[in-house]
Amino acid sequence: MSVETKLPLETDVVTKQMDDIHPVSRYFLFLGKDSVKRNFMWLPLAGMIICIILGIFHPQKHPLPYEQYIPGSWAIWGFVAYSLIVLSANTLFKLLGRDESYYGEGGLPDPDYSTDPMVTGEAHHE
Amino acid sequence: MPVMFSVLELMPDWLLTHGPAFLMALPLLMAAIMAVLPNKRVAWFTTFIVTSILTITAFALALYNAKVGTTIYKMGGWAPPHGISLVIDALNAPVLVLIALMSLITVVYAMPATVAEIKPNKRAPFYAAFLLCVAGLLGMVITGDAFNVFVFLEVSSISTYVLVAMGAARDRRALSAAYNYLILGSIGATFFVIGIGFLYMETGTLNMADMARILADLDGGSRVAKVAFAFIVIGLGLKLAMFPLHTWLPGAYAYAPTPVTVFLASTATKAALYLLLRFTFFVFDPSYAYVADGLLYILVGMGVIGMVFASLQAIFQTDARRMLAFSSVAQVGYMLLGIGIATTASVAAGYLHLINHAIIKGGLFIALGAMWYRFGITRTEDFQGLGKTMPLTMGAFTVLGLSLIGVPFTAGFVSKVNLASAAADAGWWWAVGIIMLTSILALVYIGRVLLLAYFQSPPQVNGETVIRNEAPIMMLIPMWVCALASVFIGVKSDAVVGASIRAAELLLGAG
Amino acid sequence: MNEFFLITEHFSILKQINPGFWVILAGLICTLLPIGHARKAFVIAAPIFAGLLIFQLYDVNSTEHLGGVLQFGPVELTTLRIDELSVVWGYLFCLAGVINGIFALHEKCRITDSSALVYTGAAIAGVLAGDMVTLFVMWELTAISSVFLIWKGGDHAYAAGIRYLAIHVLSGVMLLAGAVLHAQANGGDFMFNDIGLDSPGGWLMLLAMGIKVGFPGLHMWMQDAYPKASITGTVILASFTTKFAVYALARGFAGADILIWIGAIMTCFPVFFAVVENDLRRVLAFSLNNQLGFMVCGIGIGTSLALNGVVGQVFVHVIFKGLLFMSIGAVMYRTGTAKASELGGLFRSMPFTTVACLIGAGSIAAFPMLAAFVTKAMILAAAVEEHLYIPFLMMLFASAGVMEHSGIKVPHFTFFAHDSGRRVKEAPWNMLLAMGIASFLCFYLAWPWGGYQNLYALMPYPMEYAYKPYTWDHVVFQMQLLFAAIFAFTLLKRFKLYPAERRAEILDADWMYRRMGLNVAIWGSAMWDRLSVHTSRIRTRTLSNVGRRLYQTFSPAGAASEATPSGLAAVLTAGLLFVVLMLGYFAR
């Protein structure tokens, strides 16, 4: 049953899909494009570099003891912190992750409705 | 309080100046007239009027005292120490109000109760004896003369024996109870008068203030004073039902006519307790070693043992009035404990409990009397279903019972908390534990009957469930007055606590 | 203001009654009101009315407005106190009440309406309470009234609701016990002022507040219950309970050094949990916990700059955190789920919600021109001023973490990432309106030209100089942090190092009672059963023996109650007299 309801979504033509999309969003569909997604990363990189350079001309008024020696100290700290947090996720997941039914209190995804590939066994729409 | 003082404006001047004498002379005179009155209805009405006047007078005098301080009335214009003086101070003014008020409440309750319990031809003498008893109690509280105390003690005691014996119309066991009370009461009075005699020997005066002064000059006095102290403490101990000298009390309370029980439970032991306070702290002084030892070992020791033992006995009683009687012995223990700790806070707490307990027990005994009046209930197991058959009476009983246990927002809570905190301040933590323990025991013996009353259905008589049959209005009024008073004190305790602290400060010196 | 509009002048009784009580009253009326529209009118009007009252009662020039003094025996209650600290929370809760009410306009549910109103009112009344007893009552009332919002989440929320209730009632009891001990140590003064940690009562109260504000290790009720509540329920819950506790901490424990470290740890640990969590509402609950860490730390620093920062942070936090919860709530309302693994690509269907969520995300991450930029910086600046470098770095670390879970993860997995294929309708108008108001406020409260200055005007403590948020160095370094974080995200994503969303139950401190405690209890009760079977004979025999002894001694038929003949009584009397005489004889 679930397969049947999903079929039109997967196989229908583009125009049909456009009907489902909110009129405002039609102007922003480029955000879903692969090239945009891939090249988005240059934007924050550029911003970061500009801000580091600006930071040299406008140093902290109340710096931490080490900060005047390191240009872009907050950028470094932010990058390192962010990477550390994200990279710790796998280990943490192995340590603390349990099956969703661990406590047995319900709240599991409804297989008739779910779009999670792990539940439906089908890949995401791209 | 200033608002209350305006009441004094309404009082005639002579009442304020001669009130002390009036307070004991009026009931004494009226008792004599009453005894020869043929008409029983007039007797009740006269008694009602007399007790009302007494209440108003006592109240006015107490207010006057709060306003101007200690007043000394010279009987017949003879100045103390040679003449007899009547003293009104912060210590006895509240007790006077209490006695007068409880006598009024008792008289209201007695109107229906005596109809059921006293033979018509005995009612006028009953009221005469009652007024005598009131006169005696008021007299022994108000007088400043030690021998006079003994006289009034005997006046009240002898009339009480008569009153207790009148219960024989209902239950013949009243006679043996009255006899028992007579013997022990006489022993107590004798001990007391012997003590007074020794004191007279030591100090050469009978005026209590004078005695106190001379004893202080003698630094506590010789062995004669010690013997006097022993006799007085034991004599009063008998009168106030100090454990183990309480054996007269359960019988007297259980078999006396119910109005008598109400009055005895709320005033007689309280007046004796007042005397104990007057003698141990005013005439004698806790700074004398023998007084301090007596307080510590006899009053506290016996008080605490009594609290536990009598509470346990109350739990196992099958007769409701005996249960409350044993509870009274236990409550006397609280007051003795408060007196025995002998700090201002603890004496104030004991004094406060004296007042609160009088109201609580008076109301409880009225409720029990009403139950007997309607259904002839004396046994605790007959309480089943009373919550439905007598909801108003049982309601008052519940409120007062909770107050006896010491549930928050009731009078019992205020005095128990004050007592416990006074004990804790003095470092007597074990006493706090005992207070907790006996409160739990009180919960057991009161809870036992409350459970029966509310969670059992009314009994069946001849195959039909007993229907609702509420007490007459003249019983409901006094019992609810007591119940509401106990809640009022629990919620707004400033006035009563203030009075008890003033009394304690008078005894122990301010601070 | 025109005299005529001062309703407090026309009805002077209003000066004595805590404005929160009116909201509670409206909630109680709603329990009986069968007409949905009328209830909704109450839900919107009651907080507005309360806010108006607070405005009229609070005199900017005088220090405080006291009222509603009640005397219960020795305890004096001051049920109403509006001063420069509590007035901020009063306004804030009224504002949040209105926004939450708009967000919930579509929901026709009597329980939600009335419990939301009582809950809101209890929170308002709680922060405007002057004494600790009223505080306690409101503390418990917020818990009791809000648990219905959790239970409205469905059957699987039932157990979480019970746990929530149990923990909060426990917290309340500890608060009361602490308050009594504290008042006793201070001569029976129950006014709620600075408490300090000199007495055991103070510690007990700190612990009670710590539970409610989510100290590390005491926090799990939040992440347990919030994601399970109903859609509107979560939004409402997230506004009040913890902020009420922050108020209590700021009032009672400002400048308590231990809070600096508790707060710093509190900012850091949730970011690790948030990154692995799949349920986005739980991610937001962790984020909430992390934000509270900043506030707790600021309270611990205790300088007027830090405390002003905390007050501002609380104000904007309620708005942007509400905005985030509302946007995820709107998504959940349309899709039926808030699991990252079920969502993605929703910007195609819900563009306005997407924008609102991005504004919320930007606000919480403290982008310039958005809400937290001003206030969080104040707390950080205060830490530097006090030379608290380690807590400062921990908070900076956490700021990067905030960017991770709330700034990137929540919008990314919901609205972007891979397309889940769900094509749903845009959120209902009332949700959009609520989100619109909150979004506007996010901009307004950080607006450099006349926006954040209004927030400053609310701040209670006098500052030597007004903190200037829009300086070159602050903007530039903040942007460094944020750009670096986004860049790290894109880089990790490119190299497939960013963990995919995975369904799982992540263990946390609640494992202690949900699993271990439960097992211990089950084991204990089994052991107890066995023990009681084996010892039943001994027990019954002992009990009956004790009972019989007591009965034999004390019953009317027992030894102690034997009718004492008067002769024996006389002997007893003589004996006692002898004892007293001996005492007198041997007395010193």
Side-chain angles (χ1 to χ4, degrees), chain B residues 180 184 187 191 223 226-227 230-231 234 238 244-245 247 289-290 293 297-298 309 312-313 316-317 491, chain C residues 72-73 550-551 554-556 560-561 564 566 569-570 572-573 576-577 579-581 583-585 587-588:
Chain B
N180 211 356
L184 291 175
I187 293 175
F191 273 35
R223 240 168 232 172
K226 295 182 186 178
V227 174
F231 272 101
I234 297 302
L238 246 170
L245 310 178
T247 48
Y290 59 92
D293 282 4
Y297 296 110
I298 298 301
F309 263 63
L312 282 169
Q313 270 174 294
F316 287 103
Q317 292 307 310
V491 176
Chain C
F72 281 104
L550 280 175
Y551 186 81
F554 293 111
S555 77
S561 305
T564 326
S566 37
L572 256 177
T573 315
L576 209 55
L577 175 72
V579 173
V580 183
L581 284 174
L583 271 177
Y585 186 80
R588 284 144 287 136

Side-chain angles (χ1 to χ4, degrees), chain B residues 320-496:
Chain B
R321 288 215 276 170
R322 284 183 81 89
M323 174 186 88
L324 289 187
F326 277 111
S327 152
S328 279
V329 177
Q331 304 299 318
V332 166
Y334 284 93
M335 300 166 214
L336 291 177
L337 177 63
I339 296 169
I341 296 171
T343 61
T344 311
S346 78
V347 173
Y351 192 81
L352 182 63
H353 199 57
L354 183 156
I355 296 171
N356 291 348
H357 178 247
I359 296 169
I360 296 169
K361 264 298 149 52
L364 281 173
F365 274 116
I366 293 177
L368 278 187
M371 291 166 194
W372 182 83
Y373 182 81
R374 277 298 184 223
F375 293 112
I377 289 170
T378 54
R379 297 164 67 81
T380 50
E381 65 206 43
D382 295 335
F383 268 64
Q384 52 173 296
L386 268 182
K388 292 193 186 67
T389 48
M390 299 181 81
L392 289 176
T393 308
M394 204 55 217
F397 187 90
T398 310
V399 171
L400 292 160
L402 294 179
S403 187
L404 187 66
I405 296 165
V407 173
F409 302 115
T410 60
F413 178 74
V414 176
S415 45
K416 280 187 182 177
V417 163
N418 277 345
L419 183 57
S421 77
D425 281 348
W428 293 38
W429 287 100
W430 61 268
V432 178
I434 298 278
I435 293 169
M436 298 284 182
L437 173 73
T438 49
S439 294
I440 294 168
L441 293 178
L443 178 65
V444 173
Y445 61 71
I446 293 292
R448 188 168 65 109
V449 292
L450 291 187
L451 285 181
L452 271 177
Y454 286 108
F455 293 104
Q456 301 266 323
S457 39
Q460 306 242 322
V461 175
N462 301 332
E464 281 180 54
T465 309
V466 176
I467 54 161
R468 181 177 164 167
N469 191 1
E470 195 46 86
I473 185 75
M474 292 301 265
M475 290 186 172
L476 285 176
I477 290 173
M479 84 173 84
W480 273 102
V481 165
C482 292
L484 293 178
S486 113
V487 174
F488 179 75
I489 293 173
V491 176
K492 191 159 170 50
S493 54
D494 331 3
V496 186

Side-chain angles (χ1 to χ4, degrees), chain C residues 83-97:
Chain C
D83 63 2
E84 66 267 9
L85 187 65
S86 61
V87 73
V88 184
W89 269 265
Y91 285 148
L92 174 64
F93 284 175
C94 293
L95 178 66

Side-chain angles (χ1 to χ4, degrees), chain C residues 1-11 14 52 56:
Chain C
M1 178 180 257
N2 192 324
E3 278 290 312
F4 180 76
F5 293 108
L6 283 170
I7 45 177
T8 50
E9 293 304 322
H10 295 297
F11 305 99
L14 292 175
L52 196 65
Q56 297 191 353

